[in-house]
Amino acid sequence: MTTLTPISFTDTDIDQIAGFEGRVAVFVDPEGRLDTGARRVNKLVKGALARLVEGPKFAKSKPGDALVLAYPAGMAAEAVDVVHLPRRADQTAARRAGASLAKTRGTADVLVLAGNAKRVAEVSFGLAMRDYAYQDQKSEPKDREGAVTVMCSKPDEAKAEAAPLMAIAEGAFFTRDLTNAPANVLTTTSFADQLAEMRDLGLDVEVLDEDELAKLGMRTLLCVGQGSDSPSKVVVMQWKGGAKDDAPLALVGKGVVFDTGGISLKPGAGMEDMTMDMGGAGVVAGAMRALALRKAKANVVGLVGLVENMPSGNAVRPGDVIRSMKGDTVEVINTDAEGRLVLCDVMWYAQERFEPAGMIDLATLTGAIIIGLGHENAGVFSNDDTLCKAFLKAAETEGEGAWRMPLGQAYDDLLKSRIADMKNIGGRAAGSVTAAQFLQRFVKDGTPWIHLDIAGVASVKSETALAPAGATGWGVAALNRLVSDMFESD
């Protein structure tokens, strides 16, 4: 797993600044005022810092931006990173500042002169989140060198505030690594093995194989993977940090490790991106890791259905009718609408076994959601206003885009089948909505439920605020926040 950049917190020691050989970072507020550390640096560089701050580049910069004063005379440092940050910066600016430092540092050691700055932990979180590179498949991966030392007035307090944030970052890194991995490396078996290793963090982890899934009646899930040589699996991860009798929150993830579309074969162009079709399961895994690392005082169960959708002589065909674990029959019109067939059985199993207080499923489910929302927001569908509003608030707080989409009977009617209880698609129009309507048929009355279509946000072609191009880890922070806000006991 990709490791986080080591970040430590110490008391301010002005005498260390001149001889530090890495990069030194200082904060300057929008008015150009220098704090104690910045004034010390300015004196060492004979006013070059003040001249930079008084110039047009700083005037045009935004909160969170970093300007570079390279090879400063009078210091051993290779550069001084001048970060535009208000003294009472909000969370977004603080995290953006940290991300800016991650982009400038390369592999150098960094000394951050934070002084009395607010939100030091959030700056550290932004740095940790952005300082990521997936190198597992490189023949000569670059060493992740360098460490970050944050000098501040209250290091113990900053360290305590940063600890749960670093748990989120580690969970997001786990999600990114899983989502970035190629399908010949992240098979259903290796995926399950990596999740089983989280027993070391205190999670109860069970891996259900095909024989067990057949006994349970998970026929729709099994039909998706029957064309592949990779065995289908369901992994159940339980975190029991709350009261013994409290019903858990259930997180359910789609884990299609590669999606060819099956017999309804996808076009060849871009198919290589279908390694990320397990993104929903990756987010569930990352969220469970984060909750375990920070010892969340809540009961949460994460369930992921792991399959590979391949064409073969044994693959499910368009026109086949499959009986779900619930007992409803599904006419498979398009084998490329496979994620909902995986999720519906796992969702039903989650409710039958755990009787959850709420259930959230996550999936890179439809291309239609990208047409509607682009890569800025995940689609949010829900049968419960309270749970939905709480999630939207959590996502907004964490800077993870999410937008509520509609549900309704007219959309549901599009799933009617002549020969079975339902079809697995409703046609081209409102494809993301009819997919959600399909899943809602497997939500029991009284179960608060959210469906998150993360096809547009799980992996992207260009960098985001806190992640380089590729897998983003979207959702780990928002789900952690939701658990904290709504399900965690005092």
Side-chain angles (χ1 to χ4, degrees):
M1 177 182 164
T2 303
T3 57
L4 301 183
T5 297
I7 301 177
S8 59
F9 301 87
T10 69
D11 290 313
T12 301
D13 184 351
I14 298 297
D15 294 335
Q16 289 187 25
I17 298 173
F20 189 78
E21 296 183 352
R23 302 179 75 96
V24 174
V26 297
F27 298 148
V28 180
D29 70 13
E31 287 73 36
R33 290 174 295 194
L34 309 183
D35 65 10
T36 302
R39 288 196 298 271
R40 173 61 173 166
V41 169
N42 187 53
K43 184 177 180 180
L44 289 169
V45 298
K46 298 179 172 56
L49 173 58
R51 290 192 294 273
L52 176 66
V53 171
E54 293 166 1
K57 287 186 177 180
F58 186 82
K60 293 178 182 178
S61 66
K62 299 176 181 178
D65 286 350
L67 303 179
V68 178
L69 184 63
Y71 302 105
M75 297 180 65
E78 67 179 54
V80 175
D81 296 317
V82 183
V83 183
H84 180 163
L85 192 67
R87 295 192 178 188
R88 295 192 176 276
D90 62 17
Q91 176 178 285
T92 300
R95 291 182 177 183
R96 190 165 180 265
S100 294
L101 291 176
K103 288 191 284 185
T104 59
R105 91 169 187 95
T107 58
D109 290 333
V110 180
L111 181 64
V112 181
L113 306 181
N116 294 316
K118 306 297 182 183
R119 297 190 180 275
V120 173
E122 297 288 355
V123 173
S124 303
F125 176 68
L127 195 158
M129 284 286 283
R130 185 58 183 78
D131 202 15
Y132 171 89
Y134 181 71
Q135 299 194 71
D136 286 4
Q137 310 313 317
K138 299 283 189 180
S139 57
E140 296 182 3
K142 296 179 181 178
D143 292 335
R144 288 182 58 77
E145 299 173 348
V148 176
T149 302
V150 180
M151 286 187 175
C152 56
S153 58
K154 299 178 180 179
D156 292 340
E157 183 178 306
K159 181 179 179 179
E161 291 176 357
L165 295 174
M166 294 305 150
I168 298 169
E170 185 171 328
F173 273 32
F174 189 45
T175 297
R176 291 176 187 175
D177 282 354
L178 291 169
T179 307
N180 280 325
N184 63 320
V185 172
L186 188 74
T187 64
T188 55
T189 298
S190 66
F191 199 159
D193 289 345
Q194 289 187 63
L195 301 186
E197 289 174 1
M198 291 203 290
R199 293 177 180 131
D200 294 341
L201 302 179
L203 289 164
D204 291 342
V205 183
E206 304 164 66
V207 180
L208 309 180
D209 62 20
E210 289 186 340
D211 288 341
E212 293 171 287
L213 301 179
K215 290 177 183 177
L216 289 167
M218 290 197 190
R219 290 169 287 265
T220 56
L221 181 148
L222 288 169
C223 86
V224 175
Q226 71 189 39
S228 173
D229 290 339
S230 293
S232 298
K233 299 176 183 290
V234 169
V235 181
V236 182
M237 300 163 280
Q238 296 185 67
W239 174 252
K240 301 175 182 178
K244 183 178 180 180
D245 296 331
D246 285 352
L249 171 67
L251 306 177
V252 179
K254 169 190 171 184
V256 180
V257 295
F258 193 77
D259 182 19
T260 65
I263 298 300
S264 304
L265 193 67
K266 292 178 180 290
M271 195 190 290
E272 68 276 7
D273 292 335
M274 287 300 100
T275 57
M276 51 75 74
D277 209 23
M278 40 54 63
V283 176
V284 171
M288 296 302 296
R289 188 178 194 90
L291 294 172
L293 285 168
R294 72 171 183 83
K295 307 297 183 186
K297 296 179 180 180
N299 295 332
V300 184
V301 57
L303 306 98
V304 295
L306 308 181
V307 302
E308 184 177 40
N309 188 20
M310 298 286 282
S312 76
N314 194 45
V316 65
R317 295 155 294 217
D320 285 359
V321 175
I322 313 297
R323 186 177 297 277
S324 68
M325 182 181 176
K326 178 186 176 185
D328 291 347
T329 57
V330 180
E331 181 185 8
V332 179
I333 301 299
N334 188 327
T335 64
D336 193 26
E338 85 297 332
R340 64 204 71 182
L341 300 177
V342 174
L343 288 171
C344 70
D345 271 349
V346 183
M347 288 166 59
W348 194 256
Y349 174 73
Q351 293 167 97
E352 288 278 281
R353 178 176 173 184
F354 295 106
E355 299 181 348
M359 179 170 62
I360 301 174
D361 76 82
L362 299 96
T364 50
L365 205 63
T366 68
I369 202 67
I370 303 176
I371 301 302
L373 298 177
H375 297 284
E376 302 301 317
N377 291 283
V380 182
F381 303 81
S382 183
N383 66 354
D384 186 90
D385 287 345
T386 300
L387 181 61
C388 187
K389 289 177 181 177
F391 176 79
L392 290 171
K393 180 182 177 183
E396 181 180 16
T397 300
E398 296 298 331
E400 296 187 323
W403 193 264
R404 190 170 188 179
M405 300 288 285
L407 294 167
Q409 187 60 46
Y411 298 112
D412 199 71
D413 290 342
L414 297 174
L415 297 171
K416 289 179 179 178
S417 167
R418 180 181 61 83
I419 64 172
D421 295 327
M422 70 193 82
K423 299 182 295 184
N424 76 322
I425 62 170
R428 183 176 176 83
S432 59
V433 185
T434 53
Q437 291 289 166
F438 180 95
L439 294 174
Q440 189 175 26
R441 292 183 176 216
F442 297 88
V443 178
K444 292 187 176 185
D445 290 342
T447 300
W449 161 75
I450 292 174
H451 161 58
L452 297 175
D453 192 335
I454 63 172
V457 296
S459 185
V460 294
K461 298 294 186 183
S462 57
E463 68 173 343
T464 63
L466 298 182
T472 63
W474 182 100
V476 172
L479 290 173
N480 175 78
R481 172 74 65 172
L482 177 70
V483 170
S484 177
D485 289 348
M486 194 172 184
F487 295 94
E488 202 153 2
S489 57
D490 294 331

